[in-house]
């Protein structure tokens, strides 16, 4: 149950809507019980009166009005309750999703990468949804049930103490027994159901995303079978669920029947010490109607297992501590955007080998450094440390003379433009994909940036509204890279970090892009990663990384003169 605590806390903000919902639910139930009880009594009393002299004096009007009033109150109350409580729960779920997202974002790229996309999606959608059960199915019916039973008991006691207390005690007992029993019966299945639902989603997305590759390698049917298996498991869980629900309701109706017999038997000699009269009907109908209080609880608690599992899955994300935390306050730094690394050591969380070993580098403000080295030598890792995806294990990273840990996230992102090795294209329009780098940019600016990276043709058909990504035009590797560069142009930050921006481009385009850098990135502090050793003579310094260590460092000409590893690599290319 402790798993639910973080969510119950969110309720505070919406206490008004949620309490109003419960109040209306209570009023509705009361109207509903009142309707059945009053009309039961009214019909029998009227019948009895018809047989006797009392027919002259019997007041048909007042109870008639009461029945009508209760019927209307029930309808209005139910409508009001649905509107209010659903409105409040939807708002709650919105808050919960945002809350979940703000906890999730800082975990990337750290721990959260261990959770697969499809699973994360399932947590964000299905598991968050499951949290509305807590209020709608559990908290609200229990509270309304308890108050309902107390009120009903009090009213019936006014007519007859024994009958009132008997009914109240038995109802209360059922209210305690049903949740406990059916929570136990349903919890294992509910847990399995939540996990199997996630499994089905993961399998289906696997199959969908990899469809063409799976078909080419003849593995499509195997993956499809995995979906069917996951689905069968889920259906089996749902079947058990339905059976338990049916049993919970059936047994409750049975209990109702027996309770009715008991009440009739107790009331048969007359209610409140009087001769037998129509009040017996009132007691009987009150007993029948009282089960409206218990019905919402009947099947609800078998879902508690499901809800708890969802809460646990959400907690895995919500309660995780991020690898990196940023100070919330910006601080004043010099506007000389230099980059320094001192004796930096770093290894990835689950790796045995260090990705970087004792790396010391410095790039003065406005200078340009090229980092070269073979694949896996730690070049991208170095950039990730400068953009604070991770914190160093030892040593120090400083920007503009201040420790990188002092920079607030906004400040850091503002000061750096990154073209990463793998440029992500959002599933959106060309405009969305560019303006993320500069939300205030006008269309003309965006088109100018596209023009600079030679992508103006993308706007040929419908301009910046052209759709990219999954649902639209698929870009080639080179085009994606150029979108990345256009973003960097728009962002226009003083520090520029480029991770193999010309990889996979043909020679001519590479040349163009390099020229572009010359023109537009003047005066900026640049770290340029490449494994292609061309155009490097223009850089202020070159750093050769190997196995996470700085092997050689210096100007192009000097390194060639040394005839070391850089020279060797140059020869082989
Ligand atoms: P480069 O960019 O020079 O090709 P990387 O910096 O990407 O090299 O990788 C350096 C080393 O760190 C490699 O051995 C790589 O396998 C490892 N590595 C990279 N990213 C991760 C990660 N997220 N988790 C664990 N190891 C990683
Ligand atoms: Mg790399």
């Amino acid at each position: 149950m402790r798993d639910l605590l973080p969510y119950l806390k969110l309720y505070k903000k919406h206490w008004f809507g949620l309490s109003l919902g419960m109040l209306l639910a209570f009023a509705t139930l009361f109207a509903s019980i009142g309707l059945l009880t009053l009309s039961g009594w009214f019909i029998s009393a009227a019948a009895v009166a018809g047989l006797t002299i009392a027919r002259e004096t019997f007041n048909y009007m007042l109870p008639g009005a009461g029945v009508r009033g209760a019927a209307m109150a029930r309808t209005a109350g139910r409508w009001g309750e649905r509107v209010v409580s659903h409105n409040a729960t939807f708002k709650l779920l919105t808050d919960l999703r945002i809350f979940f997202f703000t906890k999730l974002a800082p975990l990337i790229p750290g721990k959260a990468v261990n959770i697969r996309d499809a699973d994360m999606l399932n947590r964000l959608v299905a598991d968050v949804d499951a949290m509305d059960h807590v209020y709608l199915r559990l908290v609200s019916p229990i509270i309304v049930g308890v108050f309902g039973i107390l009120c009903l008991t009090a009213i019936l006691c006014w007519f007859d103490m024994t009958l009132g207390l008997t009914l109240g005690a038995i109802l209360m007992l059922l209210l305690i027994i049903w949740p406990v029993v059916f929570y136990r019966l349903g919890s294992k299945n509910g847990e399995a159901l939540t996990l199997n639902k996630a499994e089905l989603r993961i399998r289906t997305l696997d199959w969908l995303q990899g469809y063409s590759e799976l078909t080419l390698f003849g593995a499509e049917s195997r993956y499809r079978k995995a979906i069917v298996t996951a689905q069968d498991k889920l259906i089996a869980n749902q079947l058990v669920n339905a059976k338990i629900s049916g049993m919970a309701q059936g047994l409750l109706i049975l209990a109702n029947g027996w309770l009715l017999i008991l009440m009739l038997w107790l009331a048969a000699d007359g209610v409140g010490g009087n001769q037998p009269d129509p009040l017996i009907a009132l007691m009987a109908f009150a007993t029948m109607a009282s089960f409206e209080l218990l019905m919402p609880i009947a099947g609800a608690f078998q879902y508690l297992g499901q809800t708890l599992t969802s809460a646990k899955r959400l907690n895995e994300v919500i309660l995780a501590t991020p690898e990196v935390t940023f100070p919330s306050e910006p601080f004043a730094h010099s506007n000389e955007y230099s980059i320094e690394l001192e004796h930096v050591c770093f290894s990835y969380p689950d790796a045995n080998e260090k990705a970087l070993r004792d790396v010391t580098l410095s790039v003065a403000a406005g200078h340009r450094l090229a980092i070269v080295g073979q694949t896996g030598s730690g070049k991208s890792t170095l950039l990730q440390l400068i953009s604070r995806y991770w914190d160093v294990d030892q040593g120090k990273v400083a920007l503009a003379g201040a420790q990188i840990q002092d920079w607030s996230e906004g400040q850091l992102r503002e000061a750096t433009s990154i073209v990463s090795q793998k440029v992500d294209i959002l599933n959106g329009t060309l405009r969305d994909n560019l303006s993320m780098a500069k939300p205030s940019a006008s269309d003309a600016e965006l088109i100018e940036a596209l023009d600079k990276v030679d992508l103006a043709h993308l706007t040929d058909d419908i301009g910046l509204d052209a759709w990219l990504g999954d649902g639209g035009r698929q870009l080639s590797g080179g085009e994606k890279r150029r979108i990345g560069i256009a973003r960097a142009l728009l962002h226009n930050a003083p520090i520029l970090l480029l991770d193999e921006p010309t990889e996979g481009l043909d020679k001519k385009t590479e040349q163009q892009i390099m020229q572009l850098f010359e023109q537009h990135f003047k005066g900026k502090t640049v770290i340029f990663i490449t494994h292609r050793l061309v155009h490097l003579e223009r850089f202020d310094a070159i750093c050769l990384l190997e196995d996470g260590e700085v092997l050689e460092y210096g100007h192009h000409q000097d390194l060639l003169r040394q005839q070391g590893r850089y020279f060797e690599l140059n020869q082989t290319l």
Side-chain angles (χ1 to χ4, degrees), residues 11 20 97 134 200 235 283 372 375 410 428 447 522 543 567:
Y11 281 30
L20 186 65
R97 281 215 174 89
V134 177
L200 177 62
I235 291 176
M283 285 296 164
V372 297
T375 315
I447 291 176
K522 275 211 176 86
C543 163
F567 175 77

Side-chain angles (χ1 to χ4, degrees), residues 379-380 421 499-500 529:
K379 305 182 299 294
S380 299
Q421 207 165 5
D499 198 349
E500 313 207 20
I529 290 179

